[in-house]
Amino acid sequence: MIEIKDLQKHFGDNHVLRGITTTISEGEVVAVIGPSGGGKSTFLRCLNCLEDPDGGSILFQGEDLADMKVDINHHRENIGMVFQQFNLFAHKNVLKNITMAPLYHGKKKLKKAVFSAIINNICALFSSKKEKTPVPSYRKEMKALKEEIKQRGLDLLQKVGLSDKADAYPSTLSGGQKQRIAIARALAMQPKIMLFDEPTSALDPELVGEVLDVIKSLAQSGMTMVIVTHEMGFAREVASRVLFIADGIITEEGTPEELFGNPKHPRTKQFLKAVL
Amino acid sequence: MSKKWSKFLDAFIDHKMYEVVLEGLRNTIVIAVAGLLIGILVGTIIASIRIMPKYKKSAKILDKIAYAYVSFFRGTPIVVQLLLGYYVLFPLMGIHLSPLVTCILIFGLNSSAYTSEIMRAGMDSVDKGQLEAARALGMGYWPSMLRVVIPQAIKNILPTLGNEFISLIKETSVVSFVTAMDIYTAFQKIGGQNYEYIIPYLVMAAIYIILVLGIGALIKLMERSLKKSDRN
């Protein structure tokens, strides 16, 4: 689904990613672990170009995202992202947080469809070859779209167990609730792949469980996911593959059993000894 | 004193000068409100340009232009800008604008330079993650700014925008330089009726104060309604 080849990233003189190559297949749950400052988060943020890669390629849907000419917004619609700091829109209530982006994209597509139908009909007036196409009623379609997206939002809220919070503002929620809403917001775009950037690192210990449960059930539903995490137990449980990134390269990778049970690289051993 | 009062009332009511005052009051408010709206609109665009990521050459050039624009309008007095606009620039371009429209335009552009700096501070105060979250959902830079960053920025800078509005109201007192009618010109005329300036100028000051206090109260109300999302 995503093919990453020789990914490079510099922050000034700091060479953060030194050539990362890996392929993420459909349905795979990839956990990324490693020491702080090793490039885990940067790697993840490069996948949807929140950080622009300096070199290498990221093949997604047949296009190279590392190429600056690619319409990145189009691809981001299919890449959901969940942040460490939740980043819920503070001025919108929970339901609007979830429905804002789908509404925006739906509206844009609808406008485009109406516009191209009108243009087509104008062309048809002058040429006998072209058939007239019916112009969709903007108002009617928009109403249906709004209804559909709202329903999708409510369903997602139910899925993350927060149906009663639809009208609440983010400032009134706990960290765990915020992160579950953030997951619902990303899912509302119906992405093909989900990226999690340390989704539980900013949470109180007692709130970590509820967020991990949501991610777990998402993994079971077959969603392709890349999760940067410090929760080793969680990585071991849900991941189908674990990447150990240190000093800007994938030092070691394998199934959780291999990597946690029998690490080969000394750097991995040292890290796991310190955190387990 | 009572004689002065009766002179003032004579001019104000019997000579129908209240009509002039009302016209002046209207113009003052129209110039300030329209100026502020233009200022917010243009200022927001300038601020967005200035905090835009500078990958592209076009973004860098736009930033330079915006900087020059802000420098000009902050670096020259409003009177100079009014005179340049009314007597030099617009006539040279062959455009004939009434004094009132000229004032609205010049005050709008002048205010946009200040508003852009206020807005930039407001946008900086919005957490970077907000823009990132919107971008990660596939929304472009401008739609993200418009829907996510700018609404929050405006909430943060509302008190400062209120100050900008108040100073606009007060600055309009120089529009007589380009023959526009405002509160100052109206009371100047009343005084000129019988060379009695004390009362007219006192009343003028009172009107300005009432205007400014009223705006202050209005801003407080708006702030309260915008704080809805902060309430616990």
Side-chain angles (χ1 to χ4, degrees):
Chain A
M1 176 164 265
I2 294 196
E3 264 183 70
I4 302 132
K5 269 191 203 128
D6 193 33
L7 191 63
Q8 304 276 345
K9 177 73 189 172
H10 301 256
F11 288 122
D13 291 335
N14 191 3
H15 198 172
V16 190
L17 298 182
R18 298 162 182 264
I20 289 194
T21 302
T22 186
T23 301
I24 293 151
S25 337
E26 192 156 355
E28 211 178 8
V29 178
V30 177
V32 182
I33 60 168
S36 302
K40 305 182 300 286
S41 285
T42 309
F43 164 65
L44 195 76
R45 288 163 61 82
C46 279
L47 293 185
N48 66 352
C49 292
L50 280 183
E51 305 290 352
D52 288 307
D54 297 331
S57 66
I58 302 167
L59 223 59
F60 179 65
Q61 298 179 343
E63 283 196 281
D64 180 9
L65 303 189
D67 183 357
M68 293 294 277
K69 290 186 192 89
V70 161
D71 177 15
I72 188 65
N73 293 328
H74 167 66
H75 293 291
R76 279 179 180 151
E77 285 180 46
N78 294 313
I79 306 178
M81 179 134 186
V82 174
F83 299 87
Q84 183 178 355
Q85 297 296 339
F86 331 124
N87 295 343
L88 291 182
F89 304 131
H91 61 306
K92 290 186 182 293
N93 70 22
V94 164
L95 189 62
K96 281 188 182 145
N97 258 280
I98 295 174
T99 57
M100 183 185 83
L103 266 179
Y104 167 77
H105 289 293
K107 211 172 180 175
K108 206 168 141 190
K109 274 166 201 156
L110 184 58
K111 269 186 195 158
K112 215 171 163 185
V114 172
F115 189 69
S116 66
I118 290 172
I119 293 288
N120 185 61
N121 288 356
I122 292 172
C123 292
L125 283 181
F126 298 103
S127 103
S128 52
K129 282 174 202 161
K130 276 196 173 164
E131 296 263 324
K132 270 198 175 186
T133 49
V135 178
S137 150
Y138 180 77
R139 212 183 257 176
K140 225 170 165 184
E141 300 263 327
M142 198 58 218
K143 210 178 156 196
L145 187 76
K146 267 185 186 161
E147 206 50 49
E148 184 211 318
I149 289 171
K150 190 183 170 193
Q151 195 51 48
R152 199 196 296 169
L154 291 173
D155 290 347
L156 280 167
L157 273 179
Q158 197 176 15
K159 208 167 152 189
V160 297
L162 289 169
S163 295
D164 53 329
K165 296 290 185 192
D167 298 322
Y169 279 92
S171 59
T172 65
L173 303 175
S174 74
Q177 290 171 329
K178 279 186 204 171
Q179 195 60 301
R180 279 144 71 195
I181 301 291
I183 295 172
R185 177 177 68 179
L187 287 175
M189 288 297 299
Q190 301 176 317
K192 293 185 176 145
I193 179 168
M194 287 280 285
L195 310 177
F196 292 86
D197 188 6
E198 303 193 22
T200 58
S201 295
L203 297 176
D204 291 341
E206 56 171 340
L207 302 176
V208 169
E210 59 188 68
V211 173
L212 292 187
D213 284 342
V214 171
I215 301 177
K216 239 182 262 176
S217 72
L218 198 59
Q220 277 152 11
S221 72
M223 175 66 84
T224 313
M225 303 200 282
V226 183
I227 309 170
V228 172
T229 184
H230 288 297
E231 301 281 331
M232 296 304 149
F234 173 70
R236 199 168 190 161
E237 193 183 339
V238 299
S240 51
R241 187 156 57 105
V242 182
L243 305 181
F244 178 78
I245 294 185
D247 309 318
I249 50 166
I250 300 179
T251 314
E252 190 169 350
E253 65 176 305
T255 64
E257 292 76 30
E258 285 167 10
L259 201 117
F260 288 109
N262 184 20
K264 292 184 184 69
H265 199 281
R267 188 75 183 84
T268 322
K269 280 182 192 164
Q270 182 199 350
F271 175 77
L272 288 176
K273 206 174 145 194
V275 296
L276 288 179
Chain B
M1 197 68 190
S2 65
K3 208 173 152 197
K4 289 183 166 143
W5 257 111
S6 67
K7 269 187 177 175
F8 171 70
L9 289 177
D10 180 54
F12 192 68
I13 296 164
D14 297 340
H15 285 86
K16 301 237 164 158
M17 287 310 269
Y18 61 87
E19 281 174 358
V20 181
V21 170
L22 279 180
E23 194 197 334
L25 188 64
R26 193 201 67 194
N27 285 358
T28 292
I29 292 173
V30 163
I31 294 170
V33 170
L36 186 73
L37 290 180
I38 296 175
I40 291 175
L41 193 74
V42 180
T44 307
I45 295 171
I46 293 173
S48 302
I49 287 172
R50 302 212 60 194
I51 69 165
M52 207 165 159
K54 309 275 182 300
Y55 304 126
K56 292 183 199 152
K57 208 163 188 185
S58 60
K60 278 180 199 155
I61 295 168
L62 277 175
D63 184 54
K64 290 261 154 57
I65 295 173
Y67 177 74
Y69 175 93
V70 171
S71 301
F72 172 75
F73 280 103
R74 292 207 306 181
T76 51
I78 182 81
V79 176
V80 172
Q81 292 161 18
L82 280 173
L83 294 175
L84 276 180
Y86 189 66
Y87 293 110
V88 182
L89 199 62
F90 294 141
L92 275 182
M93 286 158 70
I95 309 169
H96 297 285
L97 295 175
S98 74
L100 183 65
V101 176
T102 308
C103 286
I104 289 174
L105 278 178
I106 298 290
F107 270 91
L109 297 184
N110 176 277
S111 157
S112 74
Y114 291 92
T115 317
S116 78
E117 289 298 300
I118 297 172
M119 196 53 113
R120 196 153 71 118
M123 288 171 176
D124 278 339
S125 75
V126 176
D127 182 40
K128 225 177 83 228
Q130 298 281 316
L131 180 63
E132 264 182 8
R135 295 304 310 269
L137 288 162
M139 294 172 56
Y141 177 76
W142 290 101
S144 304
M145 289 301 281
L146 201 64
R147 286 173 176 75
V148 174
V149 178
I150 291 170
Q152 295 186 57
I154 287 188
K155 196 173 91 177
N156 291 344
I157 60 170
L158 204 64
T160 331
L161 271 186
N163 283 342
E164 174 63 21
F165 187 38
I166 287 170
S167 58
L168 263 180
I169 287 266
K170 293 187 293 184
E171 274 175 11
T172 54
S173 57
V174 299
V175 297
S176 58
F177 273 89
V178 291
T179 69
M181 167 71 75
D182 75 325
I183 299 181
Y184 161 71
T185 333
F187 282 98
Q188 170 86 19
K189 269 193 178 168
I190 295 181
Q193 289 270 318
N194 39 28
Y195 307 107
E196 181 48 71
Y197 286 101
I198 296 177
I199 301 288
Y201 282 177
L202 277 175
V203 174
M204 175 175 76
I207 289 183
Y208 273 119
I209 288 177
I210 290 167
L211 269 179
V212 168
L213 289 180
I215 293 162
L218 220 70
I219 292 162
K220 271 233 170 80
L221 268 176
M222 270 174 78
E223 254 177 273
R224 210 180 298 160
S225 74
L226 279 174
K227 280 242 164 77
K228 205 168 52 181
S229 58
D230 291 346
R231 228 173 264 157
N232 284 308

